[in-house]
Amino acid sequence: MNCKKTFVFLLAFALFMTTDGFAQKNDKLPPIKYTETTLKNGLRVIMHQDKSTPIVAVNVWYHVGSKNEVVGRTGFAHLFEHMMFQGSKNYDADYFTPLQEAGANINGSTSSDRTNYYEVVPSNFLELALFMEADRMGGLLEAMTIEKLNNQRDVVKNERRQRVDNQPYGTAGERIGEIMFPKGHPYNWSVIGSLDDLSAASLEDVKGFFRQYYVPNNASLVIAGDFDPKQAKQWAEKYFGGIARGNDVTRPNPARPVLAKETRVSVEDAVPLPRVYMVWHSVPQNDKDEAALDMLGSILSNGRGSRLQSNLVYEKKLAQAIGAGNGSREIAGTFQVTATASPSKTLEEIEREINIEIERIQKTAPTADELSRSLNQIEAGTIFGLQNILGKADSLNSNAVFYGKPDLFQKQLDEYRAVTPADIQRVANTYLTKNRLVMSFVPRKGDAKMPTMNAAANKPTSAAGDDKKKTAPDVSKLPKAGADPKFSLPPITKSKLSNGLEVWTVNQPELPIVSMNMVFKTGGTFEPAAKSGVSSMTAILLDDGTKTRSALDIENQLQSIGASLNASTGWDSTGVSLSTLTKNLDKALDIYADVIVNPSFPETELETVRRRTLVGFVQRKSSPNAISNVVYDRVLYGKDHPYGRQLSGDEVSIKNLSRNDLVSFYESTYRPNNAVLIVVGDVDSKTLLPKLEKAFANWKPGTVSNGTLPVAQMREKAGIYLVDKPNAAQSVVSIGQIGVSRDNPDYFPLQVMNSILGGQFSARVNMNLREEKGYTYGARTGYVYRRGAGPFSASADVQTAVTKESVSEFLKELRGIRGEIPVTAKELDYNKQSLIRAYPRGFETVGQISGQLSNLVVYGLPDSYFNDFISKVNAVTLEDVNRVANKYLTPDKLAIVVVGDRKAIEPGLKEIGYDLQILDTEGNPVQ
């Protein structure tokens, strides 16, 4: 569950553009078709049909967020986001269980202004999703207990530790709120609230908050996707209609806060680099200046051609990263510029240059080209968002809840189209004044440290008695699923260009968009150790200049047509992707082919990327999770195996890489006879192939050199490896061993076994460590499949005080899946059905389809793979699960990597009985 604020972009059903890609102000967009009704109890029901994939989204918004709380009772809205998954009157058990069996995607999120919940299910499970949502709206309190409340209090505390206290700069957001909004203002406190308030809250306090806000007349329900509207309306009335209307909700509406002068704050924290936050008061949602402020943020910092990035990151090299943006909320807003200093650069230098850029846009309006690029990015991004039914459902609800009408897409788009350069200059002068907050985060001096938390006081309150036998939930009232919907995969048209490039085309004409992905069959696996990171650097620099275009030309030309291009590498492959509107395909393809065929790898760009990469290594050492990833790989594979290194390289290799190294890697990898171009979207093969022949005419095949992957050596015995992170708020635990390659014949049994063990929310390890014990915000297991044997891991961020206990519970579950806690026939069937029913969700967008096809290319899977998937999952037996668990999970040879406060956790870890070794942040032994 995610308490992070959700920003919902406006949606456009279709875009009409002139040849330069710029939308005209007189273009009218057909509305997204929907029907709307309001039940007698006040619940708003909005329905939108989209039959492109046999799935349906149920999306409920409650018009309550942290701003509806009061001083001394903060965090309740976010707490209820968690409590709503704990069972209700007619299904008093974990909310995830019946829905994940249906293959659902389930979650919720809380912001300062609203709380939402959603399920995306196969269309024949719509009734179940509506039943579950209605039952918790109308029957949560009847099933609420102090035990459940205590458990979720622990989970929320773990969430805070993981997302705030244990992250560099993690407390910045709540500090900004406390300064920008006076005490008592609804935005003064963070969404997660005060843990002291949550600890002090009684069961009746919490129930009272629910009675006030979780009522049908304060909610909006959207049903979007593949469904029968008549039947859906009947179900909505059946399950929600009997819920009593609540009292009318009074909404806070304080005066807009102001800063009378500049406020300066400096915070010493465990951060790797200084960072400055410059914050001004802006406007609430739906204000006449909101669109202009949004575009001001884009012009200042979106892309390397933007004002701040061009000056501070690329020209003067003062900042490692910089961003600017407007954040309008329901009753107030802020505009913020955030910059992280490069090593040896000062925040004073950065602040001076930011001020210069702000003053420049205040004195001289942005150019028409800058405005056009900003608008085209907004418009193109919105139409790509239409692929996803959950995104559409969320946007319909956002408009309904905040503005009173679901269909405001034309109005919102017109507001952006109406913004002029003079408007942007005006809002820069109006809002970016001298009255602002300037907050600096700087590394701690000397040995100063955060106060150590009392381990005993932070023991989970919910752990006692959690080994008691649980009764099976009553499922008799759950609706039965309808007939399985038909799901047919789109056909793949395979062709080959004259230069040997294979082209796979999938026609998806629902939206005027095209996705291309050039998949090269070589990644970082065969890099020599001395050249570690060369594949990654080559991909990063691919679009940083060609023979005829500079990096800035490429960025600006793509933005001018609302297209995006990205190159990235993995262990087994490299991908260069393009997303564009169909009308702009010719222009986008010209840039795309130029980047792939004619990269120049300029020395100046290489030095910029090298500098930022090396600084990234410094930043990595301050993140416990990043440290854990590095050390876990090194422990499992050793420094001499490719998988024991990082794709990004290391400090020595990156310092020594030359332009010739990149050119050599490019010439031996980026060849048409080593690639497959996957094209998905509003395009047909017959029209496309002549364009591709022309675009790639000068790209010639060549010799491709791939090495031999060494066999990874399994460990001989189990051991614990501890990385000291003094006063860390949590311990990051990773336990596992070398797994299997993607071509392993036991792939499907392993998928099912892992699903049972830790592959989803309702899996064994998460239900144990999170829901029963309250040790963590989330626990999981998983295999990473590669051409060689990738890693298996069981991992969680756990409370420092229960690090030993968490490791012990992981080990218990790993032994359990091997037979000490036998897998039941019910568990097997549940997880098989979950995997099968979730399958269609993986083919909803053009990007998802392209990603699925990429796996066929990289791992040599047959064309029949997708059609065989369901039957192969169905064929997995209990014997298969038991066999692969015992064959591939060996508890006596596990590596246990823990990143945390050594002083607090080492004594307990030693009690487990394995050899314990101290490592540094790179996985090297500490003497």
Side-chain angles (χ1 to χ4, degrees):
M1 281 164 272
N2 182 4
C3 67
K4 185 176 179 181
K5 179 179 177 185
T6 301
F7 291 89
V8 181
F9 287 97
L10 63 121
L11 294 175
F13 183 75
L15 298 176
F16 302 89
M17 294 192 171
T18 60
T19 55
D20 65 355
F22 190 74
Q24 301 301 294
K25 292 183 179 179
N26 60 355
D27 292 341
K28 294 297 180 183
L29 307 178
I32 291 180
K33 294 181 180 180
Y34 70 93
T35 59
E36 181 180 2
T37 187
T38 301
L39 304 186
K40 292 180 180 179
N41 57 14
L43 177 67
R44 194 171 196 164
V45 180
I46 301 160
M47 295 187 291
H48 164 68
Q49 276 190 292
D50 178 348
K51 292 183 172 293
S52 57
T53 308
I55 56 177
V56 60
V58 173
N59 186 288
V60 178
W61 275 42
Y62 293 91
H63 197 171
V64 57
S66 59
K67 80 168 185 298
N68 300 92
E69 301 157 355
V70 296
V71 175
R73 291 291 183 269
T74 63
F76 280 26
H78 175 248
L79 177 64
F80 262 106
E81 180 202 320
H82 288 255
M83 294 301 297
M84 289 280 276
F85 291 87
Q86 297 306 298
S88 49
K89 178 182 178 181
N90 293 302
Y91 184 77
D92 188 9
D94 177 71
Y95 189 86
F96 283 80
T97 301
L99 287 161
Q100 285 195 330
E101 185 177 16
N105 174 24
I106 319 155
N107 216 326
S109 66
T110 309
S111 78
S112 53
D113 300 318
R114 88 327 168 239
T115 308
N116 83 321
Y117 304 90
Y118 64 81
E119 301 82 22
V120 180
V121 296
S123 52
N124 58 322
F125 283 92
L126 172 59
E127 185 181 8
L128 174 65
L130 291 171
F131 169 87
M132 296 291 286
E133 282 291 358
D135 200 54
R136 61 180 174 180
M137 178 187 288
L140 183 80
L141 295 188
E142 295 178 60
M144 187 181 293
T145 65
I146 190 63
E147 290 79 14
K148 291 179 181 179
L149 177 60
N150 286 339
N151 173 269
Q152 291 307 303
R153 275 195 269 230
D154 284 336
V155 172
V156 170
K157 291 176 183 179
N158 290 328
E159 181 177 0
R160 180 190 169 85
R161 294 183 184 102
Q162 180 172 325
R163 293 185 166 179
V164 179
D165 299 331
N166 218 33
Q167 297 301 322
Y169 317 101
T171 62
E174 61 187 18
R175 291 176 186 271
I176 290 171
E178 290 168 359
I179 297 168
M180 295 298 292
F181 300 98
K183 190 170 183 178
H185 189 284
Y187 293 160
N188 172 263
W189 51 87
S190 67
V191 170
I192 207 163
S194 163
L195 299 188
D196 289 338
D197 288 355
L198 291 177
S199 295
S202 68
L203 185 61
E204 189 52 42
D205 290 334
V206 176
K207 287 184 175 182
F209 188 86
F210 181 88
R211 294 188 189 102
Q212 185 174 3
Y213 294 109
Y214 276 73
V215 290
N217 49 301
N218 195 44
S220 177
L221 165 66
V222 171
I223 304 170
D226 178 26
F227 64 95
D228 176 359
K230 182 178 179 180
Q231 178 66 81
K233 185 177 180 181
Q234 291 174 353
W235 284 334
E237 179 66 51
K238 174 182 177 181
Y239 293 118
F240 289 92
I243 301 172
R245 181 186 181 93
N247 295 327
D248 291 340
V249 174
T250 301
R251 309 199 184 281
N253 189 28
R256 287 196 196 180
V258 295
L259 287 178
K261 61 180 182 180
E262 182 178 81
T263 300
R264 288 188 170 268
V265 175
S266 182
V267 179
E268 286 191 8
D269 202 357
V271 297
L273 295 169
R275 177 178 290 180
V276 64
Y277 300 82
M278 303 171 71
V279 192
W280 296 261
H281 284 295
S282 64
V283 299
Q285 293 173 171
N286 211 28
D287 187 274
K288 64 180 179 60
D289 287 337
E290 183 183 5
L293 284 162
D294 289 345
M295 296 182 77
L296 170 62
S298 175
I299 289 168
L300 283 176
S301 72
N302 193 354
R304 70 180 296 157
S306 63
R307 304 282 184 97
L308 293 174
Q309 283 209 41
S310 177
N311 183 353
L312 280 84
V313 175
Y314 291 98
E315 183 179 338
K316 295 188 171 66
K317 300 177 175 59
L318 296 174
Q320 174 74 358
I322 193 164
N326 179 53
S328 291
R329 291 185 274 178
E330 191 168 15
I331 58 175
T334 55
F335 190 96
Q336 181 170 312
V337 177
T338 305
T340 304
S342 296
S344 78
K345 304 301 181 181
T346 68
L347 294 183
E348 289 74 20
E349 293 175 284
I350 289 175
E351 185 181 336
R352 182 169 58 250
E353 292 300 325
I354 292 173
N355 289 336
I356 288 172
E357 291 300 338
I358 290 173
E359 290 168 5
R360 184 159 73 94
I361 207 165
Q362 288 173 332
K363 292 177 181 177
T364 306
T367 65
D369 182 60
E370 286 179 302
L371 190 71
S372 171
R373 295 204 311 267
S374 176
L375 177 59
N376 285 327
Q377 290 175 81
I378 291 171
E379 291 181 328
T382 58
I383 195 167
F384 271 89
L386 284 173
Q387 302 173 87
N388 183 287
I389 60 167
L390 180 59
K392 287 192 285 186
D394 224 34
S395 294
L396 287 164
N397 249 338
S398 176
N399 286 336
V401 169
F402 291 139
Y403 310 119
K405 185 180 179 183
D407 182 16
L408 290 177
F409 308 117
Q410 180 69 55
K411 175 179 179 294
Q412 291 168 328
L413 181 59
D414 287 345
E415 287 172 356
Y416 284 95
R417 288 173 170 172
V419 173
T420 66
D423 289 327
I424 292 175
Q425 181 184 14
R426 175 181 56 79
V427 296
N429 280 286
T430 301
Y431 300 101
L432 306 192
T433 68
K434 300 298 183 183
N435 298 337
R436 62 188 181 182
L437 165 64
V438 180
M439 183 174 71
S440 302
F441 266 61
V442 296
R444 287 198 203 106
K445 297 177 181 177
D447 294 326
K449 295 178 180 178
M450 293 288 284
T452 303
M453 292 185 292
N454 184 301
N458 283 276
K459 284 273 190 176
T461 59
S462 59
D466 48 30
D467 287 328
K468 62 181 180 292
K469 292 280 186 179
K470 288 193 173 184
T471 58
D474 179 8
V475 298
S476 62
K477 297 180 181 178
L478 296 181
K480 305 301 180 186
D484 289 337
K486 292 183 179 180
F487 173 58
S488 57
L489 298 170
I492 307 168
T493 301
K494 293 187 177 183
S495 311
K496 183 176 285 191
L497 303 187
S498 57
N499 64 3
L501 176 65
E502 292 184 65
V503 180
W504 295 6
T505 309
V506 176
N507 181 240
Q508 290 284 95
E510 287 83 6
L511 292 169
I513 57 179
V514 177
S515 169
M516 290 188 175
N517 188 19
M518 186 76 74
V519 182
F520 295 93
K521 301 174 186 178
T522 304
T525 298
F526 302 117
E527 299 172 342
K531 306 294 184 184
S532 178
V534 66
S535 61
S536 176
M537 292 286 277
T538 303
I540 292 170
L541 282 154
L542 197 70
D543 63 350
D544 279 353
T546 69
K547 295 175 182 177
T548 58
R549 290 179 169 97
S550 69
L552 186 59
D553 291 337
I554 294 168
E555 177 88 10
N556 286 348
Q557 289 173 25
L558 288 167
Q559 287 187 348
S560 71
I561 57 174
S564 62
L565 188 155
N566 181 62
S568 61
T569 191
W571 287 110
D572 298 325
S573 64
T574 298
V576 186
S577 62
L578 173 73
S579 298
T580 182
L581 299 174
T582 308
K583 290 188 176 184
N584 297 325
L585 176 60
D586 290 349
K587 286 188 174 183
L589 178 58
D590 181 63
I591 302 169
Y592 183 62
D594 191 30
V595 164
I596 292 173
V597 179
N598 302 306
S600 58
F601 304 109
E603 289 279 6
T604 54
E605 298 295 338
L606 171 58
E607 292 310 312
T608 297
V609 173
R610 189 198 313 275
R611 170 180 57 84
R612 299 183 74 187
T613 301
L614 291 172
V615 175
F617 293 159
V618 175
Q619 293 176 296
R620 187 172 69 189
K621 294 179 181 180
S622 68
S623 168
N625 297 94
I627 293 169
S628 178
N629 292 336
V630 171
V631 174
Y632 188 69
D633 290 342
R634 173 64 69 87
V635 167
L636 250 58
Y637 293 97
K639 64 180 181 179
D640 295 328
H641 192 281
Y643 294 170
R645 303 190 286 266
Q646 299 299 299
L647 278 169
S648 56
D650 57 52
E651 186 175 350
V652 174
S653 66
I654 294 301
K655 282 182 177 179
N656 292 328
L657 282 179
S658 68
R659 178 182 179 276
N660 287 339
D661 292 326
L662 273 60
V663 171
S664 177
F665 183 83
Y666 168 82
E667 290 180 346
S668 65
T669 301
Y670 288 72
R671 294 289 186 179
N673 52 307
N674 190 42
V676 175
L677 177 60
I678 299 170
V679 185
V680 184
D682 182 27
V683 65
D684 65 87
S685 180
K686 184 178 180 180
T687 304
L688 177 66
L689 286 177
K691 298 178 187 288
L692 296 178
E693 283 284 4
K694 179 181 178 181
F696 292 105
N698 296 323
W699 194 25
K700 305 302 181 185
T703 302
V704 176
S705 56
N706 285 326
T708 301
L709 181 68
V711 176
Q713 299 299 314
M714 296 291 290
R715 300 172 52 81
E716 294 182 359
K717 62 178 182 178
I720 299 175
Y721 301 85
L722 174 58
V723 181
D724 188 20
K725 191 71 173 168
N727 294 286
Q730 286 185 310
S731 298
V732 180
V733 176
S734 295
I735 303 172
Q737 62 189 92
I738 294 170
V740 301
S741 58
R742 179 58 183 84
D743 62 359
N744 190 292
D746 285 325
Y747 173 80
F748 287 98
L750 283 167
Q751 289 291 83
V752 175
M753 184 273 289
N754 184 70
S755 180
I756 296 168
L757 178 61
Q760 55 183 326
F761 186 92
S762 57
R764 288 183 174 193
V765 298
N766 194 62
M767 297 306 289
N768 180 344
L769 276 81
R770 170 178 161 142
E771 294 300 289
E772 295 175 13
K773 300 292 192 304
Y775 291 169
T776 180
Y777 180 54
R780 67 209 66 84
T781 65
Y783 283 90
V784 177
Y785 297 101
R786 300 171 184 161
R787 287 201 186 110
F792 165 82
S793 65
S795 59
D797 295 13
V798 304
Q799 294 184 41
T800 298
V802 291
T803 302
K804 180 195 76 171
E805 291 83 352
S806 298
V807 171
S808 296
E809 290 302 318
F810 266 126
L811 295 176
K812 183 182 81 173
E813 295 296 348
L814 289 167
R815 292 192 303 267
I817 197 78
R818 286 165 48 90
E820 290 185 13
I821 308 173
V823 175
T824 65
K826 184 177 180 181
E827 278 184 298
L828 175 68
D829 184 65
Y830 175 97
N831 284 274
K832 285 164 58 173
Q833 293 306 313
S834 179
L835 291 169
I836 290 168
R837 291 164 177 164
Y839 195 53
R841 284 196 284 110
F843 296 84
E844 189 178 4
T845 69
V846 294
Q848 287 176 315
I849 295 171
S850 176
Q852 297 277 12
L853 295 179
S854 296
N855 287 326
L856 302 189
V857 174
V858 176
Y859 299 112
L861 301 174
D863 289 353
S864 61
Y865 173 79
F866 300 128
N867 290 325
D868 294 342
F869 179 91
I870 291 175
S871 63
K872 289 192 175 183
V873 172
N874 256 329
V876 175
T877 65
L878 272 176
E879 291 73 19
D880 290 330
V881 170
N882 291 328
R883 175 178 55 80
V884 297
N886 280 275
K887 181 176 180 180
Y888 299 108
L889 297 179
T890 51
D892 60 336
K893 296 181 180 180
L894 295 173
I896 302 168
V897 174
V898 183
V899 181
D901 186 351
R902 176 183 178 183
K903 184 178 180 181
I905 66 179
E906 185 178 13
L909 290 174
K910 286 183 174 179
E911 294 175 8
I912 294 174
Y914 296 144
D915 291 342
L916 188 148
Q917 188 173 1
I918 308 300
L919 304 179
D920 65 15
T921 56
E922 298 298 319
N924 301 308
V926 174
Q927 300 300 324

